[in-house]
Amino acid sequence: MKIREKRMLSALCVMTMGISLLVGCSTTKKTTTEVSTAQDSKVKLSFTFRDDGLGEKGNLYKWLKQITPEFTKKTNIEVAVNPITASEGDYFAKIALALKSPDTAPDIITEDTFQINGDVAAGYLTPIDDYLKKWTDWTDNSYYEALKKGVTASDSKVYGVPYNTDSRGLWYNKDLFEKAGLPREWQPKTWDEVIATCKTLKVKLPDVIPFWMNSGKATGEATSMQSYEMLLYGTGERLIDDNNKWIVKSQGILDSLSFIQTIYTQGLGAPISKVLDAQAGNMSARDYMPKGKLAISLDGSWITGNWSKGGAAEWSGYENIMGFAKMPTNKGQGSGSVTLAGGWALSIPKNSKNHDAAWKFIEYAMSKDNALAMSTISGEISCRQDVAADPTYQKTPFKKLSTEYLEAAEFRPANESYPLVSTEIQNMVESVVTGTKPEAAMKTYGENVTRVVGDTNIIEK
């Protein structure tokens, strides 16, 4: 009997364990607010972003190292940092490959907002509207409304929380201007004034590069947005018309390409071998500018992060040496200046296996305090109005000015074909830099964009 009783007891234990496992399986799918510590302890999130070669000295590395220990302590959810070291264009290609399969998809990715529509159309991202409805930081207007639109796809669903934005303008070295007999406080009113200033710098300071702009395929979206589109929008034209047709022939395109041609044919720009390098943006911000070898750079508000303490190119006193002028419209028309704003978001891939835990981290990471920490480390403009009003934020050199530029900011078109058209913009710009005449470059651009989007989706002016 004792042996029989033992066997019956063993069988009962096995049955009980089986029932417990079944109950556990039936209750594992919970909302964000219901995710238990027991469940969280089994989750290890993978966080993927672009590393431009700085490794642990990079801004995102430093920020994650600062905020993740407390998050793990509170939730028992680990966050594994899995960067992709690549140029911007290569990052987009590599992350797209990873997003295709549940076996390779990260749990959280940094998503350039211009890629959202294309990635949604490809089925790579999951909407986060249900999470946002319960997050008061989103519903109480802590985030700028314009930047919320930047993470909203054409299906009216939201696919990320923006963690930075930017404005663009003309960074210039006041000390070099003074040496060249130019005023330390500079605000050009037209493109002709910019060219005239560059010519003076070339004559007075022959060892200094007058002007730098991203100008090739290797610098990817930086060439499209902060060079070409800053020029095009300054003519009063846009990439796409009110009927959602891509403009492939116009005076604005010719004027923009002619400005680029003038910079390089008259020796006002950097050596072509440098600007066509994938690291061109880093070279200008981390080498040429801090060393006094570059006078003017058409670039973004974020580059001060390189010069601040702990940055990639620490530069003591840069706030007194550098100025940040608005980029003028071509003839001073309209508001007189132009800037484009973009930025990146934290998004959850559709093929992630940990949507709830991933959101839990995003919600934590994008709180006011952590968003302020990110902005302080990176030098980038915050997407939160309450952070922008914080005294600590406003004390950072150029931060208040850069944020003010957003008041009149333009944005790239929310069209899923934009990434493809952007590639053709880069090809067009590089062709002009390497000797193609603007008219011929525009013609080729028109043919290529027509092939990409279809002849019913283009227009000539």
Side-chain angles (χ1 to χ4, degrees):
M1 289 292 294
K2 288 182 180 180
I3 294 174
R4 184 179 178 186
E5 288 173 358
K6 285 181 180 180
R7 287 176 177 169
M8 290 177 66
L9 181 60
S10 296
L12 181 61
C13 288
V14 170
M15 289 174 66
T16 303
M17 288 174 64
I19 293 170
S20 297
L21 286 171
L22 287 170
V23 171
C25 290
S26 67
T27 58
T28 53
K29 289 189 177 181
K30 301 181 180 181
T31 63
T32 303
T33 55
E34 295 171 334
V35 177
S36 68
T37 302
Q39 183 192 14
D40 291 347
S41 64
K42 300 175 184 178
V43 175
K44 186 172 185 178
L45 297 174
S46 59
F47 187 109
T48 294
F49 61 94
R50 176 183 166 242
D51 172 15
D52 67 356
L54 286 178
E56 294 186 5
K57 293 182 179 180
N59 295 328
L60 274 173
Y61 262 116
K62 289 188 285 189
W63 176 68
L64 289 168
K65 185 177 180 180
Q66 179 174 318
I67 71 167
T68 52
E70 184 65 22
F71 175 73
T72 300
K73 182 179 178 181
K74 288 181 176 180
T75 66
N76 289 324
I77 300 174
E78 295 182 40
V79 181
V81 177
N82 296 309
I84 294 175
T85 303
S87 66
E88 192 172 77
D90 286 344
Y91 172 76
F92 297 143
K94 290 180 179 180
I95 197 68
L97 286 174
L99 295 177
K100 289 181 178 180
S101 169
D103 295 327
T104 55
D107 297 303
I108 302 167
I109 61 168
T110 58
E111 177 86 353
D112 196 326
T113 54
F114 89 92
Q115 291 276 8
I116 284 179
N117 271 289
D119 284 349
V120 169
Y124 294 156
L125 302 179
T126 192
I128 58 173
D129 301 74
D130 288 344
Y131 296 118
L132 293 173
K133 290 174 185 175
K134 302 173 185 178
W135 189 33
T136 56
D137 288 29
W138 190 262
T139 59
D140 70 0
N141 296 319
S142 293
Y143 280 80
Y144 289 107
E145 284 300 320
L147 300 178
K148 288 183 179 181
K149 292 178 183 177
V151 290
T152 304
S154 56
D155 62 2
S156 299
K157 296 179 181 179
V158 180
Y159 287 87
V161 175
Y163 67 83
N164 69 16
T165 188
D166 42 49
S167 57
R168 287 156 176 77
L170 296 168
W171 290 100
Y172 67 99
N173 188 309
K174 295 181 178 181
D175 288 353
L176 294 178
F177 268 51
E178 190 171 33
K179 287 180 182 178
L182 295 165
R184 288 183 68 87
E185 299 303 322
W186 181 61
Q187 180 51 68
K189 295 180 180 179
T190 65
W191 291 0
D192 285 344
E193 286 188 36
V194 174
I195 295 296
T197 300
C198 289
K199 288 179 178 179
T200 299
L201 289 161
K202 179 178 173 63
V203 172
K204 299 289 186 179
L205 304 174
D207 294 330
V208 171
I209 296 171
F211 193 87
W212 194 300
M213 63 196 304
N214 290 290
S215 303
K217 294 181 287 187
T219 42
E221 187 61 18
T223 294
S224 299
M225 186 181 184
Q226 64 206 49
S227 293
Y228 176 75
E229 289 165 37
M230 283 286 287
L231 294 169
L232 181 69
Y233 283 40
T235 70
E237 292 190 6
R238 300 294 180 265
L239 289 169
I240 203 166
D241 74 358
D242 293 338
N243 296 314
N244 231 26
K245 292 184 182 290
W246 295 94
I247 302 168
V248 297
K249 181 181 179 181
S250 71
Q251 189 59 47
I253 296 175
L254 280 178
D255 288 347
S256 302
L257 297 179
S258 294
F259 179 91
I260 296 169
Q261 181 188 48
T262 299
I263 290 292
Y264 289 102
T265 58
Q266 297 193 21
L268 305 176
I272 292 177
S273 62
K274 299 297 183 183
V275 295
L276 298 187
D277 189 289
Q279 293 299 315
N282 290 337
M283 277 191 277
S284 64
R286 298 173 186 173
D287 183 14
Y288 284 79
M289 190 66 85
K291 292 179 180 177
K293 299 186 292 184
L294 171 62
I296 307 168
S297 182
L298 176 56
D299 215 324
S301 54
W302 62 85
I303 68 172
T304 57
N306 293 296
W307 307 330
S308 58
K309 187 175 181 180
E314 288 189 27
W315 185 5
S316 178
Y318 76 87
E319 63 273 20
N320 300 315
I321 298 171
M322 295 300 297
F324 190 36
K326 295 178 180 179
M327 179 65 183
T329 53
N330 62 338
K331 297 177 181 178
Q333 76 275 29
S335 65
S337 65
V338 65
T339 193
L340 267 85
W344 291 68
L346 298 184
S347 296
I348 302 175
K350 187 175 182 179
N351 279 324
S352 162
K353 299 174 183 177
N354 300 299
H355 288 184
D356 286 350
W359 168 252
K360 198 167 189 178
F361 178 74
I362 292 174
E363 182 180 27
Y364 165 83
M366 292 291 92
S367 67
K368 181 190 173 184
D369 289 345
N370 288 331
L372 176 60
M374 171 180 279
S375 182
T376 302
I377 290 170
S378 68
E380 295 164 339
I381 299 175
S382 178
C383 297
R384 296 185 59 126
Q385 298 184 73
D386 49 3
V387 170
D390 190 281
T392 302
Y393 177 91
Q394 296 195 0
K395 282 193 301 185
T396 305
F398 297 104
K399 191 67 68 65
K400 189 172 184 292
L401 179 63
S402 299
T403 305
E404 289 173 357
Y405 283 11
L406 287 176
E407 293 174 4
E410 299 278 358
F411 297 87
R412 290 164 290 184
N415 185 293
E416 66 184 58
S417 295
Y418 174 77
L420 299 173
V421 174
S422 178
T423 299
E424 299 308 329
I425 290 172
Q426 296 152 32
N427 290 332
M428 176 172 63
V429 170
E430 183 168 313
S431 72
V432 171
V433 171
T434 53
T436 302
K437 292 187 180 301
E439 293 81 359
M442 180 176 67
K443 183 176 183 295
T444 301
Y445 169 73
E447 293 169 350
N448 290 340
V449 171
T450 301
R451 173 177 47 79
V452 168
V453 304
D455 56 11
T456 60
N457 294 311
I458 59 101
I459 189 171
E460 297 182 356
K461 288 191 171 184

